[in-house]
Amino acid sequence: MTPIITAFERSPDGGKGLARDTRVRWAFEEVGQPYEVRPVSFQAMKEPAHLALHPFGQIPTFEEGDLVLFETGSIVLHIAQRHEGLLPDNGNARARAITWIFAAINTVEPPILELANAILLEGDKPWSKERLPLVKQRVRDRLGPLSDRLGDAEWLDDAFSAGDLMMVSVLLRLKRSGIVDEYPNLSAYVARGEARPAYQRAYAAQAAPFR
Ligand code: GTB
């Protein structure tokens, strides 16, 4: 049974890969699992049929038979657990890879989202300019230790895993800000992720409707 995911019918980023279906597509591509995409409009996302799949009326969702999932952390972990290629076989290494998924979405992504909101949603507020350095510092407070931990390793814990997939996906949100470039090893890490053929295929697939 081919899994189906939902994605923006018209992504506000015009196909730059920033919407979160990209990380799910990337996971499918890494494990070689074909998938289908059901595009949804902003209006349809808030209607009962979609709310039955996603209580918060967002994308992406995942459907396979009678299983319905939302939350990219859960979806990527599910794909990684069901297929070879994104989690190590060794139990401890597997637990560490899963820890990096959580670290990406729970510890590193929140200040990055805060920065995106500060720029996109609050940029016109009178206090915005004063607050921005503080918000950027909170991002650096996460990137500094992440950079220290990565050091000159290729991936966060030996071989590429779903933890790296999620961390690179999260860091990609910072591309336009230039903050990742302050940490050359993180910048190279993100570039390694983007260079993976599976990421390239996922990126091309999400961009296709906008070309
Ligand atoms: N925690 C959830 C998850 O990880 O799955 C968050 C899901 C989420 O934020 N979905 C967003 C959404 O559906 C799309 S990805 N938003 C519509 C809504 O809430 O009504 C976030 C996103 C949106 C747009 C851009 N962009 O254009 O640059 C980037 C990222």
Side-chain angles (χ1 to χ4, degrees):
M1 186 167 299
T2 307
I4 304 169
I5 63 166
T6 50
F8 282 136
E9 188 176 64
R10 285 210 190 111
S11 181
D13 74 347
K16 291 199 175 66
L18 298 176
R20 292 179 193 215
D21 55 293
T22 305
R23 53 185 76 169
V24 174
R25 294 172 189 260
W26 186 5
F28 279 134
E29 294 290 351
E30 288 285 351
V31 302
Q33 168 65 53
Y35 63 97
E36 289 172 12
V37 179
R38 191 168 59 242
V40 285
S41 67
F42 277 98
Q43 190 188 326
M45 274 192 284
K46 308 301 175 196
E47 286 171 0
H50 188 75
L51 287 171
L53 306 177
H54 196 307
F56 306 110
Q58 296 185 311
I59 61 96
T61 56
F62 169 103
E63 292 158 76
E64 191 176 32
D66 56 9
L67 176 65
V68 178
L69 297 174
F70 58 96
E71 286 296 332
T72 50
S74 166
I75 298 170
V76 168
L77 179 57
H78 176 75
I79 295 168
Q81 284 175 325
R82 284 284 169 96
H83 303 271
E84 288 284 313
L86 277 173
L87 288 174
D89 291 336
N90 173 274
N92 285 357
R94 203 175 174 90
R96 287 195 300 272
I98 293 170
T99 301
W100 280 116
I101 298 180
F102 280 90
I105 54 183
N106 222 21
T107 300
V108 179
E109 191 164 43
I112 294 175
L113 284 182
E114 194 52 42
L115 177 61
N117 288 340
I119 294 169
L120 296 173
L121 307 180
E122 299 161 2
D124 59 347
K125 301 281 187 276
W127 38 262
S128 170
K129 249 194 177 147
E130 208 176 331
R131 183 167 176 265
L132 205 54
L134 194 143
V135 178
K136 287 186 174 170
Q137 186 51 45
R138 288 191 187 129
V139 173
R140 292 187 181 100
D141 288 346
R142 294 304 183 215
L143 297 202
L146 182 66
S147 164
D148 291 345
R149 172 56 78 99
L150 180 67
D152 53 15
E154 208 176 348
W155 305 113
L156 286 166
D157 196 282
D158 197 11
F160 177 83
S161 78
D164 295 296
L165 183 154
M166 199 55 96
M167 192 64 82
V168 169
S169 299
V170 161
L171 296 177
L172 277 166
R173 291 284 305 262
L174 284 172
K175 210 168 188 177
R176 275 210 340 235
S177 76
I179 297 181
V180 177
D181 299 332
E182 295 171 20
Y183 306 85
N185 67 335
L186 289 186
S187 177
Y189 171 67
V190 171
R192 272 193 295 281
E194 284 182 290
R196 291 180 71 82
Y199 177 81
Q200 295 290 320
R201 289 194 295 274
Y203 185 92
Q206 63 76 39
F210 305 96
R211 296 292 172 259

